[in-house]
């Protein structure tokens, strides 16, 4: 819908593989770090002095900590470059709040779904994949999967959400963390079209790069398949290419 703005994009800075090529004169930087804010911090530090003030430093610091789960190796997201940027920001701005306090507050806000409708939960962290025939939504859901599946009127909500936006199916990926920042991941695959649901499920079950180590879970709905994900460090960033290939 925004194709007319294509020429206005002069540069792309990202930490995940691009879905399509960008031609010159658009400059592209794609680096596999835990947080795109790490790349932004590095870029600002290379630029003229004075751009990085206390407010900007706090925004970058908090974002890297949130994206990298408080720099915990157990979560499988952080890289040495993320750690280096956080340390550098703290060195330059010693008044920044403690990591644990920043991460705790942001994580609590991110996972607070109090009062949200099912539609709002699905929209909160949404990616969309498509081919020439179908469009599939992939939502990050910040609630335990069993709790989510038992929400009143869930099936009608899923149907309405997909119908209103033209989605043929939806993959909901849930995540929660214990006190050691170790993730637990589960996922649900919904589609009223059985062949599409079967295609998506088979791709996820048989994936090898990476293997998700899925274990089927009971589902209250025939049109929803549910799984526990044994490979807890396989984030949505790693699952999206599997689904894209299936489509």
């Amino acid at each position: 819908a925004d194709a007319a703005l294509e020429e206005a994009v002069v540069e792309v800075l990202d930490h995940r593989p691009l879905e399509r090529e960008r031609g010159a004169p658009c400059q592209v930087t794609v680096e596999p770090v835990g947080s795109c804010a790490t790349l932004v911090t590095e870029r600002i530090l290379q630029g003229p002095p004075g751009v990085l003030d206390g407010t900007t430093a706090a925004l970058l610091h908090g974002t890297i900590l949130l994206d990298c789960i408080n720099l915990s190796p157990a979560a499988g997201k952080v890289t040495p470059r993320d750690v280096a940027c956080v340390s550098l920001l703290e060195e330059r701005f010693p008044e920044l709040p403690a990591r644990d306090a920043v991460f705790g507050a942001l994580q609590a806000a991110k996972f607070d779904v109090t009062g949200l409708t099912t539609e709002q939960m699905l929209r909160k962290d949404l990616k969309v994949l498509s081919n020439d025939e179908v469009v599939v939504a992939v939502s990050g859901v910040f609630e335990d999967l069993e709790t989510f599946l038992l929400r009143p009127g869930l099936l009608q909500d899923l149907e309405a959400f997909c119908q209103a936006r033209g989605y043929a199916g939806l993959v909901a990926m849930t995540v929660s963390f214990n006190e050691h920042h170790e993730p637990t991941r589960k996922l649900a695959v919904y589609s009223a079209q059985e062949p599409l649901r079967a295609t998506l499920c088979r791709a996820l079950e048989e994936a090898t790069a990476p293997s998700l180590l899925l274990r089927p879970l009971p589902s209250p709905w025939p049109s929803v398949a549910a799984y526990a994900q044994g490979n807890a460090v396989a984030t949505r960033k790693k699952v999206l290419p599997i689904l894209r290939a299936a489509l």
Side-chain angles (χ1 to χ4, degrees):
D2 295 327
L5 297 174
E6 192 78 29
E7 291 174 8
V9 181
V10 294
E11 184 170 1
V12 174
L13 197 62
D14 208 344
H15 71 311
R16 62 183 80 218
L18 296 189
E19 293 181 23
R20 57 203 174 97
E21 292 299 313
R22 291 273 177 185
C26 183
Q27 188 183 330
V28 175
T29 305
V30 177
E31 304 278 356
V33 291
S35 173
C36 199
T38 294
L39 303 179
V40 175
T41 305
E42 292 176 344
R43 178 65 62 87
I44 289 174
L45 291 170
Q46 291 162 10
V51 176
L52 189 62
D53 58 14
T55 303
T56 309
L59 289 168
L60 293 166
H61 182 253
T63 304
I64 298 170
L65 290 175
L66 183 64
D67 284 345
C68 298
I69 321 297
N70 209 15
L71 309 186
S72 167
K77 286 191 168 189
V78 69
T79 71
R81 287 167 70 180
D82 302 295
V83 176
C85 277
V86 167
S87 300
L88 207 144
L89 290 167
E90 290 170 347
E91 197 178 297
R92 288 210 188 175
F93 298 89
E95 69 276 15
L96 284 169
R99 293 176 187 181
D100 288 355
V102 173
F103 175 74
L106 292 175
Q107 185 82 332
K110 179 178 177 177
F111 278 79
D112 183 6
V113 293
T114 311
L116 294 188
T117 64
T118 301
E119 186 233 8
Q120 289 167 337
M121 285 180 73
L122 294 172
R123 269 176 44 211
K124 189 173 191 285
D125 187 2
L126 174 68
K127 305 284 184 194
V128 179
L129 301 173
S130 62
N131 62 17
D132 293 339
E133 294 166 19
V134 296
V135 183
V136 172
V138 186
S139 293
V141 173
F142 302 104
E143 184 174 69
D144 186 67
L145 184 64
E146 283 83 352
T147 307
F148 178 72
L149 289 176
L150 294 174
R151 286 175 76 89
L154 178 75
L155 197 60
Q156 294 89 327
D157 288 343
L158 292 176
E159 286 170 358
F161 182 77
C162 290
Q163 209 164 7
R165 290 166 175 75
Y167 302 150
L170 170 101
V171 177
M173 300 187 65
T174 70
V175 61
S176 57
F177 294 90
N178 64 18
E179 64 276 15
H180 304 298
H181 303 309
E182 295 164 336
T184 297
R185 297 184 187 276
K186 297 173 185 173
L187 50 86
V189 180
Y190 161 78
S191 178
Q193 304 171 23
E194 198 280 329
L196 175 63
R197 190 171 68 251
T199 296
L200 296 174
C201 287
R202 188 164 57 250
L204 293 165
E205 289 169 8
E206 297 175 359
T208 56
S211 171
L212 303 181
L213 307 177
L214 297 184
R215 179 172 52 81
L217 294 174
S219 166
W221 318 105
S223 55
V224 179
Y227 301 93
Q229 186 178 311
N231 180 358
V233 296
T235 60
R236 185 170 58 175
K237 186 159 61 170
K238 292 171 182 165
V239 172
L240 284 172
I242 297 169
L243 294 170
R244 194 175 291 117
L247 292 181

